[in-house]
Amino acid sequence: KNQVEQSPQSLIILEGKNCTLQCNYTVSPFSNLRWYKQDTGRGPVSLTIMTFSENTKSNGRYTATLDADTKQSSLHITASQLSDSASYICVVNGNAGNMLTFGGGTRLMVKP
Amino acid sequence: GAVVSQHPSRVICKSGTSVKIECRSLDFQATTMFWYRQFPKQSLMLMATSNEGSKATYEQGVEKDKFLINHASLTLSTLTVTSAHPEDSSFYICSARLLAGLYEQYFGPGTRLTVT
């Protein structure tokens, strides 16, 4: 069964600190892995998308890593800001955009 | 990136009435759109895949007669919640798939439905 598990479920950090979110998956076949940021009451917005051959990809203060051998990904947020408070969702695509498997998300709260 | 819009952004309706939600891809054509439902503090759950010019494909447990999907053009899909009940209150999100590159899905901003 295709599954995507994220940890932690929720996280509280102080503004300016770094944090790392984890994503483990068992999706097969594997096409690509995406990280989305979802603000409360809004739709998800793509942060990064990585294919099998990519190990790391950055988007500003967000850096995603992918280890296709161990089927693990992480999202590192540097110098967190209050606006980073949101849910971060790991999504694995198994088949050309048709078979997305969603993780449960990590709810991040950044406090001043 | 590609832009997907939804209308309305929030709607309140009485039990037993029907509500239509529109999903539009604003700057690209999408032969396939997807409809999701999201309950508080949960992740997105795929309801159905909307295919332009053909019938939608529904996920197990989703009633096709209750959630009517129409994908009449390459830029518009609609979801109609018929005979809405309070348990249908949820956050409905659509996405449109780009038919190029990594077939990325772009999500709409969501529609908050409250059935009283």
Side-chain angles (χ1 to χ4, degrees):
Chain A
K1 181 182 177 183
N2 290 336
Q3 284 188 315
V4 176
E5 295 186 357
Q6 292 186 241
S7 61
Q9 280 190 327
S10 61
L11 181 63
I12 301 174
I13 61 173
L14 293 176
E15 185 179 13
K17 297 296 185 183
N18 304 334
C19 67
T20 300
L21 314 181
Q22 301 290 344
C23 173
N24 297 336
Y25 63 93
T26 59
V27 177
S28 181
F30 174 87
S31 177
N32 54 72
L33 182 146
R34 312 125 185 258
W35 282 94
Y36 289 91
K37 177 186 178 187
Q38 184 179 23
D39 292 311
T40 300
R42 305 290 297 171
V45 174
S46 179
L47 295 175
T48 64
I49 179 169
M50 290 189 293
T51 60
F52 182 89
S53 60
E54 296 176 291
N55 298 121
T56 184
K57 182 168 282 189
S58 292
N59 177 1
R61 294 180 296 102
Y62 301 103
T63 299
T65 65
L66 173 64
D67 186 335
D69 292 329
T70 61
K71 298 187 176 181
Q72 296 179 325
S73 176
S74 68
L75 179 69
H76 185 75
I77 303 175
T78 304
S80 61
Q81 299 176 359
L82 298 179
S83 60
D84 292 333
S85 297
S87 286
Y88 292 83
I89 306 171
C90 175
V91 183
V92 179
N93 177 14
N95 182 20
N98 258 1
M99 297 292 294
L100 296 188
T101 303
F102 287 76
T106 293
R107 288 187 297 281
L108 173 66
M109 181 179 294
V110 180
K111 290 192 169 182
Chain B
V3 179
V4 176
S5 70
Q6 280 185 242
H7 177 80
S9 58
R10 52 180 72 225
V11 56
I12 301 173
C13 71
K14 292 186 176 180
S15 188
T17 61
S18 295
V19 174
K20 180 185 284 188
I21 303 170
E22 292 185 350
C23 176
R24 294 182 184 272
S25 56
L26 297 184
D27 51 1
F28 68 102
Q29 293 182 331
T31 56
T32 304
M33 293 183 173
F34 303 86
W35 287 96
Y36 297 85
R37 182 166 50 184
Q38 185 177 33
F39 292 107
K41 297 187 178 181
Q42 295 186 23
S43 193
L44 282 73
M45 291 172 42
L46 180 65
M47 298 175 65
T49 302
S50 171
N51 302 298
E52 188 268 336
S54 64
K55 292 183 179 180
T57 304
Y58 290 82
E59 295 299 300
Q60 191 172 9
V62 178
E63 300 175 56
K64 62 180 181 181
D65 294 330
K66 180 169 182 63
F67 298 100
L68 301 179
I69 291 173
N70 184 282
H71 195 155
S73 78
L74 289 172
T75 58
L76 173 64
S77 175
T78 61
L79 169 69
T80 301
V81 182
T82 63
S83 187
H85 291 285
E87 55 265 31
D88 297 325
S89 298
S90 187
F91 193 52
Y92 291 86
I93 303 174
C94 74
S95 71
R97 188 178 68 177
L98 194 60
L99 277 182
L102 297 175
Y103 295 86
E104 184 159 6
Q105 287 189 28
Y106 293 91
F107 290 87
T111 296
R112 170 73 60 194
L113 170 63
T114 303
V115 184
T116 61

